[in-house]
Amino acid sequence: DTAVSQTPKYLVTQMGNDKSIKCEQNLGHDTMYWYKQDSKKFLKIMFSYNNKELIINETVPNRFSPKSPDKAHLNLHINSLELGDSAVYFCASSQGTLTNTGELFFGEGSRLTVL
Amino acid sequence: DAKTTQPNSMESNEEEPVHLPCNHSTISGTDYIHWYRQLPSQGPEYVIHGLTSNVNNRMASLAIAEDRKSSTLILHRATLRDAAVYYCILRDWRYGNKLVFGAGTILRVKS
């Protein structure tokens, strides 16, 4: 049973389209994250939610809108896709703050390709 | 965010210990040291973390210098499955859950 699952794993789309990536965790965690890994392999945090409330919002274009319907789900919606949005997007979760366990659990990633 | 410096890549033989170094000369008293690894085509995976004392778990050991300006991740017996990118990350506990990943060290394991 996958702890942090993301769908879809692969997504190929045209510039200008709107797409969503879904994330679900079955670990009972109350904090979830979205990270972006670009072609140079750097992982950058985008957002973090704690109990459905936004707690981290890095400098991300407002075309990116996270939505957390409940604490087990954090979806990422991207409007007006651009070539530079091509990347692997990772969802992660943790129980409370990292001070307690230091451990983030990551999903396997969703590779987005914008043509 | 305090910075870490790691070698771009390292190579190890299977079944031998591996010492992965990390320099963090600007570390502050509120920074935890975290290590994650990323296997090919997978998400990052937690390895270990510590503050001041050395730490051991089933995956690895973390040796922290007395002045905390450097640390070493020790894999006691490298296997082919340990080939991955290893990230050394400093996290300021005052700022909650933000982990800032650097470039990491690519570890290659030879059979």
Side-chain angles (χ1 to χ4, degrees):
Chain A
D1 213 14
T2 306
V4 180
S5 58
Q6 302 178 221
T7 53
K9 283 190 166 36
Y10 300 96
L11 186 54
V12 180
T13 188
Q14 300 287 331
M15 264 176 34
N17 284 350
D18 303 337
K19 290 293 176 187
S20 292
I21 305 172
K22 295 185 176 181
C23 179
E24 176 182 5
Q25 54 94 4
N26 63 6
L27 297 166
H29 290 167
D30 54 12
T31 307
M32 296 185 72
Y33 313 75
W34 277 108
Y35 276 80
K36 177 182 179 182
Q37 188 166 40
D38 60 25
S39 56
K40 294 182 181 173
K41 304 294 185 185
F42 284 101
L43 267 160
K44 294 181 184 175
I45 189 167
M46 301 172 69
F47 303 103
S48 176
Y49 271 72
N50 178 263
N51 278 320
K52 303 193 296 174
E53 281 193 35
L54 182 66
I55 55 171
I56 295 175
N57 184 353
E58 291 295 290
T59 311
V60 176
N62 58 14
R63 298 182 294 104
F64 289 78
S65 53
K67 285 188 173 51
S68 182
D70 55 62
K71 72 175 192 177
H73 296 84
L74 180 62
N75 303 324
L76 183 65
H77 189 76
I78 315 170
N79 289 329
S80 304
L81 278 156
E82 300 177 357
L83 293 177
D85 298 332
S86 295
V88 181
Y89 292 85
F90 288 99
C91 179
S93 72
S94 67
Q95 181 54 43
T97 69
L98 293 181
T99 302
N100 296 331
T101 68
E103 189 168 0
L104 283 181
F105 291 80
F106 282 84
E108 292 192 350
S110 297
R111 180 176 293 278
L112 171 65
T113 302
V114 182
L115 303 175
Chain B
D1 300 311
K3 281 193 68 174
T4 63
T5 304
Q6 299 178 252
N8 289 336
S9 64
M10 291 184 63
E11 205 165 73
S12 168
N13 293 318
E14 206 177 4
E15 305 293 315
E16 290 184 0
V18 181
H19 290 233
L20 294 159
C22 181
N23 286 322
H24 27 78
S25 57
T26 59
I27 192 169
S28 74
T30 51
D31 281 327
Y32 277 80
I33 302 161
H34 291 253
W35 283 83
Y36 278 73
R37 72 179 185 181
Q38 188 173 17
L39 278 63
S41 301
Q42 293 192 27
E45 174 185 34
Y46 168 82
V47 178
I48 202 165
H49 80 290
L51 184 61
T52 56
S53 305
N54 293 345
V55 185
N56 299 301
N57 66 20
R58 62 174 178 80
M59 286 182 72
S61 296
L62 176 59
I64 301 173
E66 202 169 324
D67 63 6
R68 301 210 322 130
K69 292 182 188 245
S70 65
S71 61
T72 303
L73 179 71
I74 303 165
L75 306 179
H76 296 287
R77 283 178 66 218
T79 68
L80 295 178
R81 206 194 163 279
D82 291 320
V85 180
Y86 286 78
Y87 299 98
C88 170
I89 305 162
L90 298 184
R91 183 185 65 86
D92 191 329
W93 65 262
R94 296 172 299 173
Y95 303 118
N97 296 341
K98 188 174 166 183
L99 283 182
V100 179
F101 287 76
T105 296
I106 299 171
L107 175 65
R108 297 183 179 90
V109 181
K110 298 183 296 184
S111 59

